[in-house]
Amino acid sequence: FLLEGQRVLSVSPQGLEPQGLDFANLYQSGYFMVRGDLDGEYALENFREWDRGFDFYAPQTFEGKDGRRILIGWMGMPDRDYVNHTVSRGWQHCMTIPRELTLKDGRILQNPVRELEDWRREERADAWKPGSQVQAGMCSDLMIESMDQDSFKFCIDDDLVINYDKDKKIFSMEFLPDSPISGGRTFRGVALDHFESLRILLDTSALELYINEGQEVFSTRIYPDFSEMGADGHWVTFLEGSGKMTLWKLEETK
C-alpha cells in the first residue's frame, strides 16, 4: 500500500528466529519500506514488527474516504502455547482497535482512530507517584506521561507489570508467574531509547499500549475476574516513578 507517497509492504512471515527482544512470537507481522517499483527494480528496507505484544496477527489496511490509511489486526495468535479463557464462554478472538498510520522519520506510527475520542466520558486528570492507585472503567482510555522521562513501573489488575527501565532502555510488559489473568502469557519487550508518553486502551479482556505516540505498540488479551476483585473495572497501581495521567471511561455514543 501507499502511505503519504511511500510504498509499504506488509507481511506476516512464519518461522523468524527470535533475536533478543525481537520476533518473540511464534509468527510475526511487520512491514518493509519499498524503494523502487515492485514491477521492476526494488529493494526492501528495515523490516519492523507492527506489534510487540502477544496477540496480533494478519493485519489488513484500507484507505478511508478522507485519505487516512487504517490498519486492523486480528487480536489472536495461531499455534501459541497460551490460551484464551473466553473459549468456555463460547467465543475466541477479537480484532484490535482500528489504527491510523502516519509516517515520521522513516518509520510508521500507529494510533487509535481519532473517532474513538468521541466515546470518552468522565475525564479525570491527576498526578501519580509510588502507591497511587486508580480504578479504570471496564472500557477505558488512559494517558500516562512521565514528568522527568525517568524509569517507571505500574501494575494492571495486580498481575500485569508495565515497566520502562531508563538505564537498560527497555520497555516491557510482564505477567507475574502463574498469573490467573494471563492465560499462560509471560514477557514481551522492546528496546526504547527514551520515553515520552503511553496511551493505554483497556477493554474487558483486551489491552493495547501505544508508546511515544505510536512509535511502538503492544497488544494482549487479559482475563481478570472482576467479581473476585470486587470491582466493575480494571485497577492500575503505580509502583515506581512519577508523572501525570488523564483517564476517561469509554462509552458508546448515543
Side-chain angles (χ1 to χ4, degrees):
F1 62 87
L2 281 175
L3 180 63
E4 300 175 22
Q6 169 66 55
R7 291 180 181 271
V8 181
L9 178 62
S10 178
V11 294
S12 294
Q14 297 187 352
L16 293 180
E17 293 294 329
Q19 298 179 14
L21 297 172
D22 297 336
F23 316 139
N25 285 325
L26 179 62
Y27 304 136
Q28 299 77 30
S29 298
Y31 66 89
F32 294 94
M33 295 300 187
V34 181
R35 307 300 178 187
D37 189 342
L38 287 177
D39 294 327
E41 295 293 327
Y42 69 90
L44 304 180
E45 299 180 355
N46 301 327
F47 180 76
R48 296 183 184 273
E49 293 178 86
W50 285 114
D51 195 292
R52 300 288 187 153
F54 297 94
D55 297 280
F56 183 91
Y57 193 60
Q60 304 291 315
T61 79
F62 64 92
E63 188 175 63
K65 292 181 178 180
D66 58 2
R68 283 182 294 169
R69 175 62 58 174
I70 308 298
L71 177 146
I72 302 177
W74 171 32
M75 208 165 182
M77 180 63 62
D79 304 325
R80 68 277 184 264
D81 56 0
Y82 42 85
V83 299
N84 293 307
H85 295 314
T86 47
V87 175
S88 61
R89 305 172 195 173
W91 63 284
Q92 172 70 307
H93 295 298
C94 60
M95 310 301 285
T96 65
I97 292 293
R99 304 172 182 179
E100 296 185 21
L101 305 184
T102 55
L103 275 179
K104 183 178 181 180
D105 299 328
R107 69 183 301 163
I108 297 177
L109 303 184
Q110 306 171 72
N111 284 287
V113 289
R114 64 197 68 169
E115 287 84 356
L116 190 66
E117 297 176 14
D118 295 335
W119 291 36
R120 288 173 170 174
R121 301 289 184 273
E122 301 179 27
E123 178 177 328
R124 174 183 173 182
D126 204 352
W128 58 269
K129 59 184 180 180
S132 300
Q133 188 176 54
V134 61
Q135 184 177 4
M138 198 75 75
C139 301
S140 303
D141 190 346
L142 175 61
M143 179 67 73
I144 293 178
E145 298 172 285
S146 174
M147 291 179 177
D148 51 15
Q149 293 190 8
D150 205 351
S151 300
F152 65 84
K153 181 184 293 185
F154 62 92
C155 191
I156 297 176
D157 296 331
D158 296 328
D159 274 288
L160 177 57
V161 176
I162 310 299
N163 181 58
Y164 178 61
D165 189 318
K166 182 179 180 180
D167 295 330
K168 295 181 179 179
K169 298 186 182 301
I170 292 177
F171 181 96
S172 64
M173 64 158 52
E174 182 175 16
F175 287 94
L176 297 180
D178 301 318
S179 166
I181 70 174
S182 69
R185 293 161 179 82
T186 53
F187 175 91
R188 293 289 185 269
V190 67
L192 191 71
D193 286 337
H194 68 283
F195 172 81
E196 297 174 0
S197 64
L198 172 64
R199 185 176 178 185
I200 305 172
L201 295 184
L202 272 165
D203 204 340
T204 309
S205 67
L207 170 70
E208 297 181 39
L209 306 177
Y210 295 82
I211 306 158
N212 294 351
E213 298 186 343
Q215 178 183 339
E216 299 287 355
V217 187
F218 286 68
S219 296
T220 187
R221 305 301 301 279
I222 181 171
Y223 299 101
D225 186 333
F226 295 106
S227 61
E228 186 175 288
M229 292 165 51
D232 57 1
H234 300 272
W235 283 105
V236 181
T237 305
F238 295 94
L239 304 174
E240 297 177 10
S242 63
K244 58 183 179 179
M245 65 177 179
T246 308
L247 172 67
W248 299 266
K249 288 186 178 180
L250 293 177
E251 297 182 0
E252 183 178 0
T253 53
K254 303 299 183 181

